[in-house]
Amino acid sequence: MASKNRVQLDRTRQIAPQIVEYLRERILALELAPGTTLSRTTLQQQFGLSQTPVRDALIKLEEEGLITVYPQYATLVSRINLDLARQTHFMRRAIETDAVRHLAEHSTPEIVHDLRKANDEVALHADRKDYSQFLIADRQFHYTIFYHAKLLELWPILRRHSGHLDRLRRLNLPNIGMDRVVRLHGEIIDGIAAGSPDEAGRALREHLSKTLAMLDWVAENYPEYIE
């Protein structure tokens, strides 16, 4: 592969985590679809690297359930496991409902400002119909909830188990509607700003409700993606 097509990495930072981040985002955006074969040799050429950092990155992605390694055979992007998606959804709903209720009970102008700023970024990508950047901005919005609720120790745990759910959300996003997501984010923020735990919790639960409601549709329309 010509050097001009190589992915540029920051050589002042650890290399393997950058490969993980790059491949993870492409997998979550379905640019690398479930079942896609990942060639280690091609990845080494793409990044201009030796085998070791690529191997380390793939080990990390396998731990997150995003790829499946068949020794001496192939490395594939994993298919979406609906049962794991359901379990992650249950965990996320339980944690985030309590988190937004907590923020409403301890609301400050800083919290409201940061959440509105994060949702403005989500709305920007909704207007542009950019699904991939929209989901990254949406993730940042929810990170902001965890940050202000002082739950950052839980964030990497949730993210480590979210690959199946995130890809399900990406498939379902045209049905959910990006404008709906922005609106419900706004209602979560309004509940926090008003100091209303019940309103913030209701909006959060409604926000998360649509993904699993469309499981049958996803399984019918994308059977090749589902495990």
Side-chain angles (χ1 to χ4, degrees):
M1 184 176 297
S3 60
K4 67 179 181 180
N5 294 324
R6 286 180 178 170
V7 177
Q8 298 301 311
L9 301 174
D10 183 352
R11 300 290 174 165
T12 66
R13 296 167 49 208
Q14 290 188 345
I15 296 299
Q18 295 181 69
I19 302 172
V20 171
E21 182 179 353
Y22 175 82
L23 292 176
R24 182 195 291 124
E25 292 301 337
R26 292 194 65 199
I27 291 170
L28 296 182
L30 301 178
E31 294 171 12
L32 291 172
T36 299
T37 299
L38 297 179
S39 164
R40 298 192 182 204
T41 301
T42 300
L43 289 174
Q44 289 171 223
Q45 294 172 344
Q46 184 177 11
F47 293 106
L49 296 170
S50 64
Q51 178 181 351
T52 300
V54 171
R55 180 199 62 206
D56 292 346
L58 293 178
I59 289 172
K60 177 64 175 176
L61 291 169
E62 185 178 26
E63 290 173 353
E64 295 183 12
L66 293 176
I67 67 171
T68 303
V69 177
Y70 298 96
Q72 311 303 321
Y73 173 61
T75 298
L76 306 178
V77 176
S78 66
R79 299 186 189 278
I80 299 171
N81 185 307
L82 297 184
D83 185 56
L84 291 177
R86 288 189 187 95
Q87 293 184 52
T88 303
H89 183 268
F90 182 88
M91 177 171 62
R92 178 178 176 184
R93 184 175 58 186
I95 294 171
E96 288 201 59
T97 298
D98 279 354
V100 298
R101 290 182 63 88
H102 172 81
L103 294 183
E105 291 168 352
H106 303 84
S107 181
T108 68
E110 179 187 7
I111 293 172
V112 174
H113 171 269
D114 288 352
L115 287 172
R116 291 203 190 282
K117 182 178 178 181
N119 199 34
D120 286 345
E121 188 71 14
V122 179
L124 173 66
H125 296 297
D127 290 341
R128 293 175 176 174
K129 308 300 182 186
D130 186 334
Y131 288 131
S132 297
Q133 291 302 313
F134 173 88
L135 289 172
I136 292 173
D138 176 73
R139 196 180 311 144
Q140 184 61 35
F141 175 84
H142 290 276
Y143 174 87
T144 304
I145 291 174
F146 276 69
Y147 172 79
H148 281 293
K150 296 181 172 55
L151 294 174
L152 286 186
E153 291 295 324
L154 296 180
W155 179 255
I157 297 173
L158 186 65
R159 293 305 317 149
R160 188 162 62 247
H161 294 282
S162 291
H164 297 283
L165 181 63
D166 285 348
R167 290 184 292 166
L168 197 61
R169 290 190 68 228
R170 172 61 185 88
L171 286 172
N172 200 21
L173 193 53
N175 297 315
I176 294 173
M178 290 187 283
D179 291 340
R180 178 183 183 274
V181 173
V182 174
R183 174 178 61 81
L184 288 171
H185 281 180
E187 292 181 14
I188 293 168
I189 299 168
D190 290 343
I192 292 171
S196 173
D198 290 342
E199 177 59 23
R202 178 207 61 78
L204 188 282
R205 288 190 298 274
E206 184 177 349
H207 170 43
L208 298 181
S209 67
K210 280 286 188 178
T211 298
L212 294 188
M214 299 297 292
L215 281 184
D216 290 342
W217 179 89
V218 171
E220 179 180 348
N221 287 274
Y222 298 94
E224 70 278 15
Y225 287 0
I226 304 301
E227 180 181 324

